Amino acid sequence: DLDMASEAAIRLAQNSIDVGKVDEARDYLIKILNANRGFLLKDEQSAYGLAQKLALNGLEGIAAQITQALLEGRARVNTLYEPLLKDTGLWYAAAKEVAKAHTYLSRYQEQFSQGQYEEEVQEGLDKLFFELSETNSTKLEAYYDTLRERYDNEISQKAVVEKIKLLTKEERYLEALNLDPVVREMAEGALKEEGI
């Protein structure tokens, strides 16, 4: 019986996670997702709880597949819809599935512009920006400035580094040096050591 086998596989996956065998849990869940997805999704609260447990244990890709499946056919008025949409995007981002992450996080912004998770989703999109293949240097420079103003964390630091790379590539060295006082001090120190 496929449902009994699926139930056993879910329990084995949960036990595997509990004892730190996350690769084994992933294998069980991939089999269920491929062979009997409907069974896994019968109880949406349990499936969502399992997805959250998976994400906490480094299996964000599988967690996102589960929440993506839960989203299919769900109306926006469903109480789980908003957190499912947010988590699907963020978990795909954590799993380095950039295109899927961008799709779900953008969809969240379109559907919940004043949503409960608006800031978390915006930060997720901003982190993804570094992974997207934008080539327009004017857009890049403007977005790096936006990120520098919006955050005071690793995102703003990465924006500074990327902007310095961009300015250096365009041979705008003085602007690059003036962008960050630490970089400027390092450059001045290196110049003094060289006697320049």
Side-chain angles (χ1 to χ4, degrees):
D1 181 305
L2 190 56
D3 284 356
M4 284 180 61
S6 298
E7 177 67 33
I10 290 172
R11 289 185 184 176
L12 285 169
Q14 290 178 329
N15 289 339
S16 296
I17 291 170
D18 291 341
V19 296
K21 296 181 179 179
V22 292
D23 291 335
E24 194 174 290
R26 181 185 63 238
D27 293 342
Y28 288 126
L29 291 166
I30 287 173
K31 288 177 185 174
I32 297 169
L33 282 169
N34 292 333
N36 197 6
R37 178 181 293 238
F39 179 80
L40 182 63
L41 306 176
K42 274 184 190 175
D43 180 351
E44 66 180 24
Q45 287 286 352
S46 294
Y48 188 35
L50 176 60
Q52 291 171 320
K53 188 174 187 177
L54 293 169
L56 287 173
N57 286 279
L59 295 174
E60 294 93 345
I62 300 292
Q65 289 179 43
I66 293 171
T67 54
Q68 178 182 348
L70 285 169
L71 280 169
E72 293 169 5
R74 296 287 185 279
R76 189 175 159 198
V77 293
N78 183 303
T79 56
L80 285 180
Y81 186 86
E82 184 180 1
L84 282 171
L85 189 56
K86 179 253 316 174
D87 285 338
T88 302
L90 293 176
W91 291 340
Y92 271 134
K96 304 294 185 213
E97 295 193 42
V98 176
K100 288 181 180 180
H102 192 267
T103 297
Y104 283 96
L105 293 175
S106 297
R107 187 167 136 193
Y108 181 94
Q109 281 193 327
E110 290 168 14
Q111 295 180 1
F112 298 99
S113 60
Q114 301 296 316
Q116 180 179 354
Y117 308 105
E118 179 185 4
E119 288 180 22
E120 196 174 346
V121 167
Q122 181 62 56
E123 186 169 338
L125 278 168
D126 289 339
K127 286 179 181 177
L128 278 180
F129 180 77
F130 298 107
E131 308 299 323
L132 298 174
S133 55
E134 178 62 58
T135 56
N136 182 313
S137 61
T138 305
K139 284 184 182 179
L140 287 169
E141 190 174 342
Y143 204 72
Y144 293 148
D145 288 340
T146 299
L147 295 177
R148 288 177 50 227
E149 292 170 15
R150 188 178 290 163
Y151 298 101
D152 186 23
N153 59 19
E154 73 278 352
I155 294 174
S156 63
Q157 293 168 359
K158 190 167 184 174
V160 169
V161 169
E162 293 302 317
K163 186 168 180 183
I164 289 171
K165 287 179 187 177
L166 177 68
L167 293 172
T168 303
K169 183 179 174 184
E170 294 178 349
E171 299 181 4
R172 296 163 54 193
Y173 304 114
L174 191 55
E175 287 179 68
L177 287 174
N178 287 328
L179 191 60
D180 188 332
V182 175
V183 172
R184 185 177 178 88
E185 286 176 29
M186 289 171 48
E188 287 173 351
L191 290 172
K192 284 180 185 175
E193 285 179 20
E194 295 295 321
I196 300 172

